[in-house]
Amino acid sequence: MSFLGALLRGRKPLEARIKRLTYAVGDIHGRLDLMEKMLQKIKSDAALSQERPLIVFLGDYVDRGPHSKGVLDGILALQNAEWCDVEFLMGNHEEILLKFLNDPSAGLSWSDHGGAATLASYGISLPHLRSDPLAWNETRDEFARALPDSHRQLMAQMKMLVIVDDYLFVHAGVRPNTPLDDQGAETFLWIRTPFLTVDKACKYVVVHGHTPEEAPTNTRWRIGLDTGAYATSVLTAVRLKDNTRTIFQVM
């Protein structure tokens, strides 16, 4: 395919390469409907290549949207799918959920940042008096009973990052010009400005979510896939193979 032809098809031939057919999916945030549409789109596309693909989910499966429980059920089922392999990265919203289970005092802040929708998806109501610490203890205990062990284990075992050939997949980003071994959850799950404002943060092309944008970012060294699905009803992914990229969206 010519360079012009590749651009017209939404692809960017680059030096960075990835041998295996790989898809990365941006922040889902409880939008089970969009996740199901995206998986169908990916499955149909992968079938054309007759190759078993790798799908990397970039975190933030829960909160804000209406079906956090259903999303976790769906990705658990995907672990046993015969047509693909999957990697599930942790997002900052999964980290906060797990923190709430260990520390009920985190409940008020979590509920203000989307956690109320997650609780509702498990049939749990917010405390009537949200400033009451004892009420949050009771809510935490109720949530802990409603949360399947499989969901808790899934989130606890999620990876912080995955590297495949010339690409690094992570929820939020990486700290520029800092060895990856010297970084941790605070960076991988939360970083924004220091990462987003540099042209090249590390030797890999970084594929990430976390920071919502009206349109996906697709530059030489960074691919940002969070298009605010819970609010915009647009879920974004990228298809990577050899030295080409293709942006996928469903709505």
Side-chain angles (χ1 to χ4, degrees):
M1 181 185 296
S2 69
F3 180 77
L4 178 59
L7 288 180
L8 291 175
R9 291 175 59 86
R11 298 168 183 247
K12 289 189 175 184
L14 299 165
E15 295 88 347
R17 290 182 176 271
I18 190 166
K19 296 176 183 177
R20 184 175 185 182
L21 176 60
T22 301
Y23 303 84
V25 181
D27 304 35
I28 297 168
H29 275 306
R31 289 301 302 266
L32 177 62
D33 56 334
L34 297 178
M35 184 184 81
E36 290 175 339
K37 288 181 181 179
M38 181 61 77
L39 286 174
Q40 186 56 54
K41 188 178 184 73
I42 289 173
K43 186 175 183 179
S44 297
D45 181 77
L48 296 176
S49 70
Q50 298 183 330
E51 182 178 349
R52 182 183 178 93
L54 172 66
I55 306 175
V56 182
F57 290 86
L58 298 174
D60 281 4
Y61 315 97
V62 302
D63 295 351
R64 294 182 172 154
H67 299 298
S68 294
K69 181 178 184 296
V71 169
L72 293 181
D73 282 334
I75 64 175
L76 273 171
L78 200 60
Q79 288 182 319
N80 298 317
E82 296 182 354
W83 64 274
C84 66
D85 295 319
V86 289
E87 292 279 9
F88 301 113
L89 300 183
M90 179 172 283
N92 60 299
H93 283 260
E94 287 74 51
E95 182 189 51
I96 297 172
L97 185 158
L98 293 173
K99 180 180 179 181
F100 172 61
L101 289 171
N102 292 319
D103 179 9
S105 67
L108 180 58
S109 175
W110 179 45
S111 66
D112 286 340
H113 292 87
T118 297
L119 290 172
S121 76
Y122 287 89
I124 310 298
S125 300
L126 291 174
H128 292 299
L129 187 59
R130 297 177 64 219
S131 60
D132 181 1
L134 291 178
W136 278 111
N137 286 348
E138 294 173 0
T139 299
R140 186 278 309 273
D141 291 346
E142 190 178 358
F143 180 49
R145 290 191 294 269
L147 185 70
D149 288 343
S150 59
H151 289 195
R152 188 194 299 249
Q153 292 168 5
L154 172 68
M155 288 183 283
Q157 294 170 1
M158 287 175 176
K159 297 179 180 179
M160 289 292 169
L161 57 83
V162 169
I163 296 172
V164 184
D165 297 332
D166 295 331
Y167 286 82
L168 182 152
F169 303 86
V170 65
H171 177 62
V174 300
R175 188 162 297 281
N177 304 313
T178 304
L180 295 175
D181 289 344
D182 294 340
Q183 304 181 46
E186 182 66 25
T187 297
F188 299 143
L189 302 183
W190 292 94
I191 195 169
R192 282 203 167 103
T193 300
F195 166 66
L196 298 173
T197 54
V198 298
D199 175 59
K200 182 180 180 180
C202 64
K203 67 179 182 179
Y204 301 101
V205 178
V206 181
V207 185
H208 68 97
H210 185 57
T211 300
E213 299 176 286
E214 184 175 348
T217 294
N218 185 8
T219 64
R220 183 177 181 183
W221 293 103
R222 181 168 73 85
I223 304 174
L225 298 176
D226 184 1
T227 46
Y230 69 93
T232 64
S233 293
V234 178
L235 180 63
T236 301
V238 65
R239 178 193 196 273
L240 304 169
K241 176 64 178 177
D242 296 326
N243 65 338
T244 64
R245 308 173 182 174
T246 308
I247 297 295
F248 283 5
Q249 291 190 312
V250 296
M251 59 189 70

